[in-house]
Amino acid sequence: MGKLAELGCEKAVAIYRMMVRIAECDQRIQQGLAAGDLQFQYYPAGGQEAIPATIMSLLNPDDLAVTTYRVIHDIVAKGTPLREIMAEMYGKATGTCKGKGGPMHLTAPDSGLMVTTGIVGAGAPIAAGLALAEAMQGTGRVTVCSFGDGAANIGAVHEALNLSAVWKLPVIFVCQNNLYAEYTSFAESTASDSIASRAAGYGMAGEQCDGTDPASIHAVARKAIERARSGHGPTLLECVAPRLQGHAFGSDIAHMDQAALAQAKATAPLKSVRQRLLDERLATEAELAAIEAEARAEVDDAQQFAVASAAPDLSELQQDVFADIGDTPYAARPSSPDEISPSGALRRITFGMAVNEAMAIALDRDPSVFLLGEDIHDPAGGIVKATVGLSSRFGLDRVRPTPISEQAIVGAAIGASMRGMKPVAEIMVNDFAMVAMDQIANHAAKLRYMSGGRTAVPITIRSLTAGNVGSFGAQHSQMLESWFAHTPGLKIVAPSNAYDAKGLLLACIDDPDPCIQIEAMRCFFSHDDVPEGHYTIPLGKAAIRQEGHDITLVSYSWGMQEVHAASTLLGEAGHSVEIIDLRTIVPLDYAAVRASVLKTGRILIVHPATEFGGFGAELAAKLQHDLFGKLKAPVGRYGAPYTCIPFAQNLEAAYFPNASGIVERATALLGYI
């Protein structure tokens, strides 16, 4: 254990002051829980106060931090006002997140605490993205990502460490090792002697220190921060600090080594640092007592402020899902969404060429746009050449090939977008989005809401669906639009032609919310007339592809090919068919669908995904509810059967919705009088 005097009197006392503020806040929250004034799951930070108190003292105010649900010590040390923290604990409108995030999701971008995640290990990819944005913008800022020893065994952390090392990002990964992963000891869950030793496997620096000793923490953290700021890449820093109580407030401690626990309590950092300050004559008893009284008074004030603050207004319930509440399903939408009309000459190009052209335009127009994904650089240019030529034209800094790491790809995009960038992340095949669903559904979709609107995630995810093109089988052929649509906060785009693919992608890139564009391989090599230059198609504006008066057919993506073929057959049989291409699923142009059905009295909704639980069921239920008594036939829907997607081509052909099936179901609906 080093001398605190090595830090200098002023810094040593300042670190202790921060430790006292952390401990006082931590204890007050636990007292509120014990008294029943507060009600939530809480994860105390006792024993770990010295880690952020020391590390944050080495950072600049505008450096960034990401942490996990055991957060109170990190957010206090990063400089967030205690009033805001305590008000969030009480679920008040004056809290850091307007009472909408709570203790596991504290966000305070003004002080640089960008994300607190309740998902173990999930913050690491986002921290890599924050650091990436700072590196690309040349700000010199560093990012500190804190997590526990349990999170060190999560795949997202591995992916983030590897990506950060490959790109030499200015990030410090701080494992606050309290020797227990929830209720399992470090020795039981980890075969290696330390977390820091793993750094060698990533080709990055690794350091271990005594997490109860500010002098030890300071020595290794200072080197790590200097390394990051000077462009020499990330560090994996392990700070060992035994936990002083159970995993959560009120948890039992029977699983803990009782002798080790007693020893840790006897030598708790708050006690030991206080005594060392006295022993080394860096402070007097009166000075330390004054610091402690000041912290109690500050927490008293914060608690009184929280209790007196108002709860969030009920109008907040659906605010902050998107930047514009009008983008939520069935909300009243503007009659004329913003649109940039095309002015360039028409050329007949493929869907894939249109996607490539959209990205080239975005990269050329806006320096904050960049691409990342697997194999997207030349000469590969992506598995279907969607990005071919772009890295040669714009460079590898803006067209970034990544490791095969979907969680890291999406997480890095999230983090970078929170710092002013506009990432376009490619998930090679739609099925692979499931590997990154935590980052997509728990973070990209929720961060605006959980932060009370203080952060935004303007990312675009491009993803290919390979269904109905022959022999890709069950794990490469799915469309996951209903999964995405069921997650508030995501916008879902499914173009059916090259014109829309370009205009919708450009709209997604400019959108303030996370957008997922699903690109069908079946459409990728089809040709359409597409204008040169920049234009956008508003999200949430369906296209009436054909007017009719007997029945409405609604679809999107490659389903439109079958709908058009079926319409021809139905027309030959004397039926007038109206065709609506939704183009976007969220936002949803429900008004256009409703108006069409009121005109025709019949509707068949066609979608490529499984019919059971599919998006068609949602739209059908809404229409049936709203138009009951005005319809000439029940609302029809047609999707794939409830089975996995088969490999054999004859079975695959029977699996996906097709023109003859549409004609059969539409004819049945037309038979109602």
Side-chain angles (χ1 to χ4, degrees), residues 188-205:
E188 291 176 293
S189 64
T190 309
S192 57
D193 293 334
S194 74
I195 300 299
S197 64
R198 299 181 183 182
Y202 303 108
M204 62 192 289

Side-chain angles (χ1 to χ4, degrees), residues 429-432 434 466 472-478 644-646:
V429 177
N430 203 211
D431 310 63
F432 302 167
M434 288 185 274
F472 276 87
Q475 294 182 342
H476 284 68
S477 305
Q478 298 171 94
C644 300
I645 300 171

